[in-house]
Amino acid sequence: MLPLLLFLNFLLSASALNDNAFPENFKFGVATAAYQIEGGWDADGKGENTWDHYTHYFPDSIADKSNGDVACDSYHKYKEDIELLKELGVSVYRFSLSWSRILPQGTANYVNQAGVDYYLNLLKLLNESGIEPLVTLYHWDIPQPLQDLGGWSNPLMVNYFADYATVAFELFGDYVKMWATFNEPQSFCLMGYINNEYSHFAPGYDLEAEGSYLCSATILKAHAKAYHIYDEQFRDKQNGKVSIVLVVNWNEPATDSADDMKAQELGLQFGMGIYANPIYVGNWPQLMIDRVANRSKLEGYSKSRLPEFTEEEIKYIKGTSDFFCLNHYTTDLVSYAYEDDMIGVNSSYTLDKGITTSYNSSWKEAQVSTWNHMVPWGLRKMINWVDQNYGHPEIFITENGWADDGSSLDDPDRIEYTEGYLSSVLDAIYEDNVNVVGYTHWSLMDNFEWSFGYTSKFGMVSVDFKSENRTRTPKSSYYWYKCIIEARSLADDCAVPSESSGRSLATNVFAVIISVILAIYYL
């Protein structure tokens, strides 16, 4: 039954769009991150961060041996970027601060005024342009002096981050009403701190048995401390909100077997619950606690490799989010990996999780970033899972996007992807009554995509990285998104004619039939 439903889901996502208008208060935006666009890596007193260090000393870890030294040069071209935002018509711009640009040594004993001025000028111009900033404090670029102390595997980072957050709230809080402490700890705690297929990622530590868990525990405590600082010292006068940005692929059981249903829960709890459960429910997910403890015992450890929170820490972390920031790109088919196949191999987060992933061959695959498949219905399921498990929070989609090789300004696949995923957002709002309040597309422009360098392009604006001027040129998707924002619906007159976007009356009628079948099944 399940393979048939996957096929029906695919047909539905390819043929039917939700034609409801986006709610009046729904916010459209785009997103970027400091290291990926700013450049100016050592300009005006900025300190070295871990990605500066990693790309300079280990260039072979990057697909094209590139770095973010110049990137999109937004440090010098932020005014041009804001003009693109204004023309696009977005109401929100999500970007991150470079910790090393503000505190070059990582600590609060010295503040770099040139870095502060850069962000103040950016924020003031956004304010004058009527664009609301959603500011991330940390998007993977820790100051290198703190990385030399162990980075996020060092519990002292809780206090260093709290000091940095306090400086940011004091300096920029009058202009910022939406804060995110961390972007995707699931990504950097895994890819940076354990040695697996994602090991080409700063800082490149090989701490497979415990690294990701030590990192996760530190991040949760640091996030909570920053939240409480804002709550106690700044909220009354600044009236802002604080959250953390979490990411997970939707985990769809590969079959309807009990084992693969178990794999779905394992995938979602180890992927999302590891952070969301402590913040929205309290403590690690019990499934994780039990599973890691059992595996650690069988592996000969004297105690669980998953750090244990005290009751005081559980209470301190719980409730430290004012809204839910969700990054989502794609869906995995998941299967259960049996216990007997995993004990005695290695000790790792990946084996603790205990699942294998695959994808359906009918799902369109992105260029270069081939992990990214076009599965719009997965976002609706992910939104509903978050809503049902974490107390019906206000949800903001803070990243969602499609990669290609950037060879053409005509990008119909990006339009098709974004249209489908926005339709799923509308489904969640109107059909499921979930409180989704905004969407920021990744990304405004092509940029440095971490281990992919400049080979993978997610932008709605092309950047000529061979040009000293880093010339920006809007793509077809930019003008399509502008039209959607103006129309506040997935309007037919916004469609860019292409083979992939044509829809006939017959396919729409067929979509209605599929919708009925799926509705009966999910009920």
Side-chain angles (χ1 to χ4, degrees):
M1 181 66 177
L2 194 62
L4 173 61
L5 287 167
L6 286 172
F7 179 67
L8 292 175
N9 263 324
F10 166 73
L11 290 176
L12 178 59
S13 65
S15 60
L17 292 177
N18 191 311
D19 60 2
N20 284 290
F22 286 90
E24 186 176 347
N25 64 345
F26 190 89
K27 298 177 180 179
F28 288 99
V30 287
T32 62
Y35 185 78
Q36 294 179 268
I37 69 163
E38 282 183 4
W41 82 274
D42 61 351
D44 301 329
K46 177 187 168 294
E48 183 186 37
N49 66 46
T50 187
W51 274 94
D52 295 325
H53 185 87
Y54 188 70
T55 56
H56 292 165
Y57 284 89
F58 306 101
D60 289 343
S61 295
I62 309 304
D64 55 2
K65 300 184 180 182
S66 63
N67 55 54
D69 288 4
V70 180
C72 305
D73 200 24
S74 288
Y75 183 67
H76 299 105
K77 295 173 70 70
Y78 71 91
K79 293 180 181 179
E80 187 174 334
D81 294 342
I82 292 178
E83 286 301 313
L84 286 167
L85 295 171
K86 288 165 63 177
E87 176 63 24
L88 186 57
V90 295
S91 56
V92 174
Y93 177 43
R94 180 183 171 224
F95 66 94
S96 71
L97 305 177
S98 169
W99 187 339
S100 297
R101 198 175 295 283
I102 299 166
L103 305 178
Q105 299 165 7
T107 57
N109 62 308
Y110 171 68
V111 178
N112 179 32
Q113 190 58 46
V116 172
D117 290 343
Y118 169 69
Y119 291 115
L120 283 175
N121 290 335
L122 173 63
L123 287 165
K124 289 175 182 177
L125 190 52
L126 286 170
N127 182 263
E128 293 169 8
S129 303
I131 300 170
E132 184 176 7
L134 197 171
V135 177
T136 307
L137 290 171
Y138 179 79
H139 199 126
W140 305 358
D141 48 352
I142 186 174
Q144 187 60 33
L146 300 183
Q147 189 65 64
D148 290 339
L149 297 177
W152 297 109
S153 59
N154 181 353
L156 292 177
M157 282 297 301
V158 173
N159 291 328
Y160 290 129
F161 182 77
D163 290 344
Y164 162 54
T166 302
V167 169
F169 295 150
E170 287 177 341
L171 292 172
F172 311 122
D174 289 343
Y175 299 96
V176 181
K177 304 308 174 190
M178 290 190 292
W179 292 97
T181 53
F182 294 93
N183 179 74
E184 295 186 10
Q186 294 100 322
S187 298
F188 66 81
C189 282
L190 285 177
M191 297 189 288
Y193 287 80
I194 66 177
N195 182 27
N196 63 10
E197 66 268 30
Y198 299 114
S199 59
H200 296 303
F201 202 90
Y205 283 4
D206 182 4
L207 303 171
E208 192 167 10
E210 299 174 88
S212 64
Y213 297 137
L214 293 172
C215 177
S216 299
T218 303
I219 292 299
L220 285 163
K221 294 174 187 178
H223 160 78
K225 188 159 187 176
Y227 180 92
H228 286 294
I229 287 169
Y230 189 85
D231 200 46
E232 295 163 7
Q233 300 180 31
F234 298 96
R235 189 184 300 274
D236 284 348
K237 56 185 177 182
Q238 294 180 357
N239 298 311
K241 295 180 178 181
V242 179
S243 184
I244 183 172
V245 176
L246 303 180
V247 65
V248 72
N249 296 345
W250 174 247
N251 285 229
E252 185 74 13
T255 71
D256 57 4
S257 69
D259 278 344
D260 287 355
M261 295 296 182
K262 180 179 180 180
Q264 178 184 51
E265 188 66 9
L266 283 167
L268 291 170
Q269 292 297 350
F270 272 80
M272 175 62 77
I274 184 173
Y275 296 99
N277 210 80
I279 292 171
Y280 292 91
V281 180
N283 208 355
W284 308 109
Q286 192 61 47
L287 180 152
M288 278 192 66
I289 294 172
D290 295 342
R291 190 172 175 88
V292 180
N294 181 61
R295 285 184 52 79
S296 299
K297 181 179 179 181
L298 292 173
E299 291 161 347
Y301 288 84
S302 60
K303 62 179 181 179
S304 177
R305 289 179 283 104
L306 182 67
E308 182 178 353
F309 290 126
T310 66
E311 285 300 317
E312 182 179 1
E313 288 170 336
I314 291 171
K315 292 178 181 177
Y316 190 72
I317 296 169
K318 183 180 178 181
T320 55
S321 180
D322 301 317
F323 61 113
F324 199 107
C325 292
L326 174 64
N327 287 3
H328 176 84
Y329 287 86
T330 193
T331 289
D332 293 325
L333 296 180
V334 295
S335 300
Y336 183 60
Y338 292 92
E339 294 288 342
D340 293 344
D341 297 333
M342 299 187 299
I343 298 298
V345 179
N346 283 307
S347 300
S348 75
Y349 164 92
T350 303
L351 295 177
D352 291 340
K353 190 176 180 180
I355 67 173
T356 60
T357 62
S358 59
Y359 62 92
N360 191 301
S361 60
S362 67
W363 298 345
K364 186 174 289 189
E365 183 177 272
Q367 295 173 311
V368 187
S369 294
T370 55
W371 54 266
N372 193 4
H373 295 91
M374 196 180 300
V375 195
W377 50 263
L379 176 55
R380 179 181 179 182
K381 289 189 175 186
M382 193 67 250
I383 289 170
N384 273 275
W385 195 86
V386 166
D387 178 69
Q388 293 160 13
N389 282 271
Y390 304 123
H392 312 293
E394 178 181 280
I395 299 173
F396 203 118
I397 309 300
T398 36
E399 282 184 35
N400 175 249
W402 182 255
D404 59 29
D405 62 7
S407 59
S408 174
L409 295 176
D410 183 21
D411 52 350
D413 285 350
R414 180 168 290 108
I415 294 170
E416 181 186 359
Y417 175 96
T418 310
E419 187 176 52
Y421 278 77
L422 282 172
S423 181
S424 286
V425 170
L426 287 170
D427 289 341
I429 293 171
Y430 284 99
E431 304 299 326
D432 309 323
N433 199 32
V434 180
N435 187 21
V436 187
V437 299
Y439 174 94
T440 55
H441 184 273
W442 185 269
S443 172
L444 168 63
M445 55 190 163
D446 298 337
N447 53 58
F448 179 83
E449 281 294 339
W450 311 112
S451 61
F452 289 99
Y454 299 100
T455 66
S456 182
K457 308 294 195 336
F458 278 87
M460 286 184 165
V461 174
S462 173
V463 178
D464 183 359
F465 294 105
K466 296 179 180 179
S467 163
E468 184 177 349
N469 190 47
R470 294 303 195 267
T471 305
R472 283 102 157 105
T473 307
K475 304 176 186 178
S476 297
S477 58
Y478 176 93
Y479 297 108
W480 172 85
Y481 193 42
K482 171 181 169 65
C483 181
I484 294 298
I485 293 170
E486 290 174 348
R488 301 197 64 80
S489 71
L490 301 176
D492 289 341
D493 57 1
C494 288
V496 175
S498 72
E499 190 174 318
S500 64
S501 63
R503 292 183 179 85
S504 67
L505 177 61
T507 56
N508 285 327
V509 170
F510 184 58
V512 172
I513 296 172
I514 296 172
S515 297
V516 172
I517 295 172
L518 291 174
I520 293 171
Y521 175 78
Y522 289 126
L523 288 174

